[in-house]
Amino acid sequence: MSVALLWVVSPNTEVFNFFGILDSSRFALGNRSSIRAKLGRKQKWKSCSLTTDVKYSSVGSSGLGSETKFPVLSSMVANPVGEIAVSSEQKVYDVVLKQAALVKKQLKSNGDLDVKPDIVLPGNLSLLSDAYDRCGEVCAEYAKTFYLGTLLMTPERRRAIWAIYVWCRRTDELVDGPNASHITPTALDRWESRLEDLFQGRPFDMLDAALSDTVNKFPVDIQPFKDMIEGMRMDLRKSIYQNFDELYLYCYYVAGTVGLMSVPVMGISPESQATTESVYNAALALGIANQLTNILRDVGEDARRGRIYLPQDELEQAGLSDSDIYAGKVTDKWRSFMKNQIKRARMFFDEAEKGVTELSEASRWPVWASLLLYRQILDEIEANDYNNFTRRAYVSKAKKLLALPIAYTKSLIRPSRTSSYSTRAQKTDSLTSKV
């Protein structure tokens, strides 16, 4: 299952060679602080080649009909033995609160999400510059539209976003690329260990070095990165999701995490009256919307790989089963089921829209472009008469070009000074309750 990022990506046949994670060696740069200060002498990181294949895409409206029935996700649920268990929505919200608290702390101490000053030693600046430039090249190659939007950001912010993008892409390749059959839980454990090293200022290669420098300069926490790796573990051991609660957690792991990684870098507008938690909730909603769209677009492709990323209980309620998915026949029951699934994805996009305006001005355009373009994939599924078994929904180049000025215009809208967006209760009621 491809990960839905906050970026618009063009298909390409080249991707990453990840065999480095199977190597137990490490390239140490010392403890965390500024990587530039830690090197002390010119060194070379291991190079990264792009040699495999990945499908990456991201970010494309109607309200819910009264006939729509979605499961209620309460914050607490009872398990079969009568014990109280925390729902996926609650687990994810706890992470959101932690991430928001980190940014609040930064805002309180600095008044803005300013980056830490660079400590430049001879030879180090050029090494890190090369590392960031390479991340930018990868972003430009695979996420052309988003890359153009990042050019409006400050140099520090756009380089940081490039570094995060590359790490997410490489992580997704572990279980979704041509080398996926060689990936084991042990390999993911090593990839997580490598992540911990780079957060401590010990990157393995030049692309890791860019991210290591980024997390040193911005209040980016390691938890969303670890959670994304957990999503990859789920892909290794799980191919069926019993209900939306399970699917929601998976969507958070593989896509919602991207929003939590990005908000500290993109920044929140000084004019915003919204709570930090609400901005993070909107970023989370965009990730969930993107991944749900990925799932609906790729039903046939995933089924051919023996995977069904659709809630089993909702399939049953619609009179459908796994055998119908594998048969790949568009029926009235399937159309009705798909209509409800698309409505839910659009609700998450609606929630995400509320928070884009609250971001710093220079960060809004690429996010708006991502949101508008990826949301259109849902329109294309409808245009294909809900045949996502044998037809792949995609947004044409012409439609992409038309969306860019719209996204730019939306990015100029300033945050409302009377904004009260939004409470957790509003989010939960609008996205997870029955209508």
Side-chain angles (χ1 to χ4, degrees):
M1 186 67 218
S2 62
V3 173
L5 301 183
L6 299 181
W7 306 293
V8 182
V9 184
S10 303
N12 198 297
T13 56
E14 287 187 293
V15 281
F16 296 89
N17 181 345
F18 289 107
F19 289 118
I21 69 166
L22 305 177
D23 186 345
S24 60
S25 62
R26 290 287 182 271
F27 186 82
L29 293 182
N31 294 327
R32 185 175 180 181
S33 186
S34 174
I35 296 178
R36 295 185 175 94
K38 290 293 183 180
L39 277 169
R41 63 182 184 280
K42 189 170 184 178
Q43 302 192 42
K44 292 185 178 180
W45 294 294
K46 295 186 178 182
S47 61
C48 298
S49 59
L50 303 176
T51 58
T52 52
D53 178 59
V54 70
K55 57 172 182 170
Y56 243 79
S57 34
S58 183
V59 299
S61 14
S62 62
L64 275 174
S66 59
E67 78 285 359
T68 305
K69 294 183 179 180
F70 294 142
V72 177
L73 298 186
S74 61
S75 61
M76 305 295 285
V77 295
N79 64 24
V81 295
E83 297 175 344
I84 299 298
V86 179
S87 72
S88 295
E89 192 266 341
Q90 178 66 43
K91 291 177 183 177
V92 173
Y93 186 69
D94 289 343
V95 177
V96 168
L97 289 179
K98 179 182 178 183
Q99 304 310 303
L102 289 172
V103 173
K104 281 183 178 179
K105 183 178 180 180
Q106 177 83 358
L107 288 169
K108 186 175 181 180
S109 60
N110 295 343
D112 194 6
L113 290 180
D114 293 330
V115 300
K116 298 177 183 178
D118 296 332
I119 304 175
V120 182
L121 295 180
N124 299 334
L125 180 59
S126 62
L127 285 175
L128 273 171
S129 179
D130 290 345
Y132 279 117
D133 287 346
R134 182 58 183 140
C135 290
E137 290 170 3
V138 174
C139 188
E141 176 67 19
Y142 299 97
K144 293 180 175 64
T145 306
F146 183 81
Y147 173 79
L148 293 175
T150 63
L151 298 181
L152 294 178
M153 297 179 177
T154 63
E156 294 83 4
R157 293 187 194 280
R158 68 168 169 259
R159 288 198 299 263
I161 289 296
W162 293 344
I164 293 173
Y165 168 85
V166 167
W167 186 88
C168 292
R169 184 184 177 93
R170 299 172 89 189
T171 301
D172 182 51
E173 269 300 282
L174 297 177
V175 299
D176 204 38
N179 295 323
S181 60
H182 302 289
I183 297 300
T184 65
T186 300
L188 290 178
D189 291 343
R190 289 176 177 171
W191 184 248
E192 184 168 351
S193 177
R194 177 167 159 173
L195 170 70
E196 292 169 349
D197 282 350
L198 75 82
F199 262 80
Q200 293 298 319
R202 298 190 299 274
F204 181 83
D205 58 29
M206 68 183 300
L207 299 181
D208 281 356
L211 182 59
S212 189
D213 186 57
T214 291
V215 303
N216 178 64
K217 294 194 295 184
F218 291 90
V220 178
D221 186 47
I222 195 173
Q223 190 60 50
F225 294 85
K226 286 191 169 188
D227 285 347
M228 178 172 279
I229 296 174
E230 183 60 29
M232 304 304 116
R233 292 190 180 100
M234 287 182 72
D235 259 332
L236 291 183
R237 67 175 184 262
K238 192 177 180 69
S239 59
I240 294 292
Y241 294 82
Q242 295 301 323
N243 50 52
F244 186 69
D245 188 63
E246 291 185 5
L247 186 62
Y248 178 87
L249 186 61
Y250 172 74
C251 290
Y252 159 71
Y253 279 147
V254 301
T257 48
V258 180
L260 305 191
M261 298 172 192
S262 304
V263 170
V265 174
M266 291 186 168
I268 300 173
S269 172
E271 300 175 330
S272 174
Q273 299 298 308
T275 64
T276 307
E277 291 90 340
S278 68
V279 177
Y280 270 91
N281 274 332
L284 170 65
L286 181 55
I288 300 294
N290 291 343
Q291 191 62 21
L292 290 176
T293 301
N294 256 1
I295 288 169
L296 299 180
R297 180 196 62 193
D298 297 341
V299 169
E301 181 178 337
D302 289 329
R304 287 187 287 275
R305 300 170 58 201
R307 294 182 172 276
I308 298 178
Y309 294 92
L310 298 168
Q312 291 289 303
D313 60 346
E314 294 179 27
L315 282 170
E316 184 178 353
Q317 290 169 12
L320 298 166
S321 65
D322 292 353
S323 60
D324 294 307
I325 307 299
Y326 293 127
K329 185 178 180 180
V330 178
T331 63
D332 288 341
K333 288 182 179 180
W334 178 251
R335 292 186 184 94
S336 178
F337 173 79
M338 281 300 301
K339 287 177 183 178
N340 284 339
Q341 300 301 308
I342 288 174
K343 286 175 181 177
R344 174 158 55 202
R346 283 179 172 146
M347 289 181 69
F348 278 97
F349 277 121
D350 290 343
E351 182 71 15
E353 285 191 13
K354 299 175 185 177
V356 181
T357 304
E358 310 300 330
L359 296 175
S360 63
E361 184 175 358
S363 299
R364 294 174 205 152
W365 189 28
V367 178
W368 270 119
S370 298
L371 189 155
L372 295 176
L373 289 172
Y374 212 58
R375 186 171 188 161
Q376 288 185 51
I377 293 176
L378 300 175
D379 302 335
E380 298 301 324
I381 294 174
E382 292 174 329
N384 288 342
D385 193 28
Y386 305 99
N387 181 5
N388 42 8
F389 298 117
T390 60
R391 299 184 65 182
R392 183 178 175 86
Y394 68 93
V395 181
S396 68
K397 290 184 178 179
K399 290 182 178 179
K400 287 181 179 180
L401 291 175
L402 289 173
L404 292 180
I406 297 175
Y408 181 72
T409 300
K410 286 180 173 290
S411 72
L412 300 179
I413 300 175
R414 304 163 77 94
S416 171
R417 292 188 175 277
T418 59
S419 173
S420 59
Y421 167 73
S422 73
T423 67
R424 179 181 171 223
Q426 290 170 331
K427 170 182 177 290
T428 302
D429 288 345
S430 64
L431 300 181
T432 62
S433 63
K434 292 182 179 180
V435 176

